[in-house]
Amino acid sequence: MGKHFQGIMVPVLTPFDINGEIAINEFKEHLLFLLEHQVDSLLIPSGTGEFANLTFEQKRQLIKAAADTIKKRVPLVALISDCSTANVLELLKMAQEEGADEVMLTPPYYSRIDQRAILTFYQTIADKAKVPLWIYQQPGETKLSLDPETVMALSKHPNICGIKVACGDDFFYFTNLVHTMKGDPEFSVLNGEDYCTLPSYCVGGDGSVSSIANVIPGELAGIWSAHNQKDYEKAMALQDRIMEYCTFLEMVDTGAYQSACKTALRETGLYSTNKVSRPFVEVLPQEEMNIIKRIKEMNQS
């Protein structure tokens, strides 16, 4: 058998209306936009989708709306992270009830626990899950990191299918993990940092979980296809274009990057606002104006 998953997974944004309520029709239209550009999987809710700020019922609303819209055309992955095992199990149950095909889980943020506790945490959830489980390595937010040996041990669990690696500028962790896991054809290793999309494929990564794909899904689908076809000239040109978008959407100074991405989608007509959930704040007007200017320039290039 081949890899469980290869390709582009999009951690979908959560749009809000002017009153701060989820704009569910805009959310559904965004999903259709992403599917039209041939992405391979959708992560809902997600970190990019502000999952940690959402209520339990808002998470349920998003997963249900996504399942009804996607209709099994691509896998629907639900992020079920929380601080306690009990809460994660509740989120797992809800995600399965509402139609998630797979789930993804960070280590428990807040608590300082060792590798044995992390191992037990994931094994407990995987034992209870009726769908495949993704590990989510994100030490910048959780303050916890899975050792490669812990990942390898978890990969032996029949219900754990792969890992998303978002390690900031620690690209060595990703390359080392790809090397460590290369003997397991059923376990996928996905890159979670847009700045190193093409390098992650070149060292053996199985695809991307791409925040920037919310805005430019065609470029992410295109770079994955170009790499697989060994068209490296096209792939390098697309990586350069992705980096251009990263500079003004992900590397913002005055508010949440989600607000920057929503500003871009507002300019395309998909979103009506660039509102974000609290405690996040929107980008300030001067940065918003720069984003609008850059979007217009990129659309002309």
Side-chain angles (χ1 to χ4, degrees):
M1 296 177 67
K3 289 282 186 181
H4 169 77
F5 176 85
Q6 291 183 311
I8 305 301
M9 182 186 296
V10 185
V12 183
L13 289 157
T14 302
F16 296 99
D17 64 22
I18 195 69
N19 298 314
E21 300 295 325
I22 293 176
I24 204 67
N25 289 332
E26 293 176 16
F27 175 69
K28 291 178 178 179
E29 287 299 315
H30 191 192
L31 297 180
L32 294 174
F33 167 73
L34 296 172
L35 291 174
E36 287 169 5
H37 285 85
Q38 300 182 324
V39 302
D40 302 293
S41 182
L42 297 169
L43 175 60
I44 300 160
S46 66
T48 297
E50 304 165 57
F51 87 96
N53 303 341
L54 303 177
T55 67
F56 188 95
E57 287 308 315
Q58 285 176 318
K59 293 172 185 178
R60 182 189 295 277
Q61 180 186 13
L62 289 169
I63 295 169
K64 185 179 187 305
D68 292 344
T69 304
I70 296 167
K71 300 184 187 301
K72 303 293 184 181
R73 281 175 281 184
V74 299
L76 167 57
V77 187
L79 189 60
I80 58 169
S81 296
D82 204 281
C83 295
S84 79
T85 300
N87 288 349
V88 171
L89 288 170
E90 284 296 313
L91 288 166
L92 169 65
K93 181 174 182 291
M94 179 269 287
Q96 293 174 158
E97 289 173 349
E98 298 302 341
D101 301 299
E102 301 166 0
V103 292
M104 184 177 286
L105 179 62
T106 64
Y109 40 93
Y110 184 77
S111 301
R112 291 285 184 179
I113 59 176
D114 63 13
Q115 293 298 302
R116 182 168 68 93
I118 292 173
L119 188 69
T120 301
F121 172 73
Y122 276 101
Q123 288 172 333
T124 299
I125 304 305
D127 286 345
K128 297 288 186 181
K130 299 175 183 177
V131 295
L133 171 66
W134 287 90
I135 301 164
Y136 187 174
Q137 162 76 347
Q138 194 181 41
E141 278 73 14
T142 66
K143 309 303 185 289
L144 293 172
S145 182
L146 287 85
D147 292 345
E149 294 77 15
T150 301
V151 177
M152 178 169 281
L154 287 170
S155 73
K156 307 304 179 187
H157 194 290
N159 211 25
I160 294 179
C161 61
I163 185 170
K164 171 189 173 181
V165 178
C167 284
D169 57 3
D170 186 10
F171 191 57
F172 175 76
Y173 181 96
F174 182 87
T175 58
N176 186 40
L177 190 60
V178 169
H179 176 75
T180 300
M181 299 305 304
K182 67 181 179 180
D184 187 343
E186 296 301 313
F187 188 84
S188 301
V189 181
L190 303 182
N191 166 54
E193 303 289 357
D194 287 316
Y195 80 89
C196 59
T197 298
L198 182 57
S200 75
Y201 302 162
C202 292
V203 299
D206 296 302
S208 296
V209 185
S210 170
S211 294
I212 211 79
N214 277 282
V215 180
I216 50 169
E219 279 82 344
L220 271 296
I223 194 171
W224 175 247
S225 176
H227 167 74
N228 290 332
Q229 295 171 12
K230 296 182 171 53
D231 186 347
Y232 295 118
E233 183 175 352
K234 180 179 180 180
M236 287 187 288
L238 285 168
Q239 176 64 55
D240 188 58
R241 186 169 175 82
I242 290 165
M243 275 301 302
E244 284 292 318
Y245 276 92
C246 286
T247 60
F248 67 91
L249 292 180
E250 294 184 344
M251 302 173 189
V252 291
D253 296 320
T254 68
Y257 78 90
Q258 290 94 335
S259 179
C261 290
K262 290 176 185 183
T263 300
L265 290 175
R266 189 188 62 196
E267 290 305 299
T268 69
L270 272 173
Y271 283 16
S272 58
T273 78
N274 65 355
K275 295 287 186 183
V276 287
S277 55
R278 299 298 181 253
F280 295 159
V281 293
E282 292 76 29
V283 291
L284 289 174
Q286 63 266 29
E287 191 151 33
E288 186 176 333
M289 290 174 60
N290 178 61
I291 292 166
I292 293 169
K293 176 176 178 288
R294 294 294 303 278
I295 282 290
K296 289 178 179 178
E297 291 171 350
M298 294 301 292
N299 287 341
Q300 293 171 358
S301 63

